[in-house]
Amino acid sequence: LIIQAIKSKKIRGRSALRPLDIAGLSQFLVQVSNLIIDCAEIKRLDIHPLLASGNEFTALDVTLDIAPFEGDRESRLAIRPYPLRLEEWVEMKNGERALFRPILPEDEPQLRMFISQVTKEDLYYRYFSEINEFTHDDLANMTQIDYDREMAFVAVRRSDQGDEILGVTRAISDPDNVDAEFAVLVRSDLKGLGLGRRLLEKLISYTRDHGLLRLNGITMPNNRGMVTLARKLGFDVDIQLDEGIVSLSLNLTSSDKQE
């Protein structure tokens, strides 16, 4: 955004004693964005001009219009912010704790490492094809999501070295917010800890609360673990041997109890 503004001369240098600190200006824009996110009462905010000298920024003239606001505070935003409220600590069967949280753009390196620890067989069950490598664009599409139309939860183990992704579940809704396609993937060496079930239960709860009516997915007949889990969680399971797939569907409006 800043580089484009410089090229189009919306940011203009006038005998600046110190060069523009792009990182500092980026942080200033993030702070303004956080102000808009936190204060739904702001109807209009105009900062003009903003003077920059190195990493020092001065707003010379600011116009701010405010008014009472009612309703969904996030519906007014072009892109929904990170939903911090959806973070949850979960205890695995081995006694360790994992943080279940929405995926973040900065998870790309951790996601690449996670995928490298999934067997080719499990990746084939997930993507229905042999994938040798995920490109930066592939990983960016998986991590840079619109939290309104798509949701991906990751189970992470926290350490001094950072977050380590243990599993991922994802749902992408249709334009009418009626159906959503889902998928679950757990690191191949961590099966049996209950991660797949807990991730899918969290996704079901989220999509139901989000107003979706159905959750759909497909897998392969040989993926017995996924088929068994789907049955336990109340999915309708349609095994189509001639097509080599298993269709999974869950009515999110049903009050049926899970096994």
Side-chain angles (χ1 to χ4, degrees):
L1 178 67
I2 293 171
I3 291 172
Q4 286 297 113
I6 294 174
K7 289 180 178 179
S8 62
K9 301 189 183 304
K10 293 178 180 176
I11 293 178
R12 292 174 290 177
R14 293 183 176 176
S15 303
L17 297 178
R18 291 186 289 170
L20 175 65
D21 182 351
I22 292 181
L25 182 54
S26 298
Q27 184 59 40
F28 174 85
L29 291 174
V30 169
Q31 290 175 316
V32 172
S33 296
N34 286 335
L35 175 66
I36 299 299
I37 290 170
D38 293 340
C39 301
E41 294 77 15
I42 295 177
K43 293 185 63 179
R44 175 173 171 264
L45 174 61
D46 183 19
I47 302 174
H48 182 72
L50 175 72
L51 297 187
S53 177
N55 61 357
E56 297 178 357
F57 303 93
T58 305
L60 289 188
D61 191 5
V62 179
T63 301
L64 179 67
D65 295 342
I66 60 174
F69 182 87
E70 295 182 359
D72 181 3
R73 299 170 68 89
E74 294 182 354
S75 65
R76 64 200 165 86
L77 304 173
I79 298 176
R80 298 232 173 187
Y82 176 78
L84 182 65
R85 67 186 183 281
L86 297 177
E87 291 188 353
E88 173 189 9
W89 284 98
V90 172
E91 184 172 319
M92 298 181 286
K93 289 183 179 180
N94 63 355
E96 287 188 77
R97 298 177 75 220
L99 177 63
F100 284 20
R101 61 164 174 78
I103 202 164
L104 286 162
E106 52 263 40
D107 285 328
E108 182 178 332
Q110 291 84 355
L111 186 62
R112 184 185 295 278
M113 179 61 68
F114 162 74
I115 292 173
S116 72
Q117 295 172 295
V118 177
T119 64
K120 288 187 176 181
E121 181 184 31
D122 287 343
L123 285 176
Y124 192 84
Y125 286 153
R126 167 65 178 85
Y127 294 102
F128 286 76
S129 62
E130 293 185 4
I131 301 176
N132 295 322
E133 184 180 2
F134 286 87
T135 67
H136 162 69
D137 287 343
D138 294 331
L139 296 170
N141 287 333
M142 295 178 189
T143 55
Q144 299 176 28
I145 65 173
D146 177 356
Y147 295 114
D148 186 42
R149 297 290 301 279
E150 181 178 358
M151 178 54 69
F153 291 112
V154 290
V156 300
R157 182 161 48 197
R158 292 213 149 154
S159 67
D160 294 338
Q161 288 72 42
D163 286 353
E164 177 187 12
I165 295 179
L166 312 178
V168 183
T169 187
R170 184 181 306 270
I172 303 174
S173 67
D174 64 8
D176 297 322
N177 199 50
V178 174
D179 290 356
E181 298 289 333
F182 84 94
V184 182
L185 187 62
V186 173
R187 218 173 76 181
S188 299
D189 61 332
L190 296 176
K191 293 182 179 179
L193 297 180
L195 279 172
R197 176 167 187 151
R198 296 296 294 273
L199 280 168
L200 189 50
E201 286 175 336
K202 186 171 183 66
L203 189 68
I204 291 171
S205 176
Y206 168 79
T207 50
R208 181 177 284 126
D209 292 343
H210 201 58
L212 286 151
L213 303 182
R214 284 182 298 275
L215 200 56
N216 302 311
I218 56 174
T219 188
M220 295 182 176
N222 291 339
N223 193 357
R224 296 186 179 88
M226 185 68 240
V227 173
T228 300
L229 174 60
R231 283 198 171 110
K232 288 181 178 179
L233 294 181
F235 282 80
D236 292 328
V237 177
D238 180 16
I239 301 176
Q240 304 170 30
L241 293 177
D242 54 335
E243 299 289 339
I245 64 171
V246 179
S247 295
L248 311 171
S249 180
L250 180 67
N251 180 3
L252 296 172
T253 63
S254 173
S255 60
D256 295 342
K257 292 183 178 180
Q258 299 169 356
E259 294 182 16

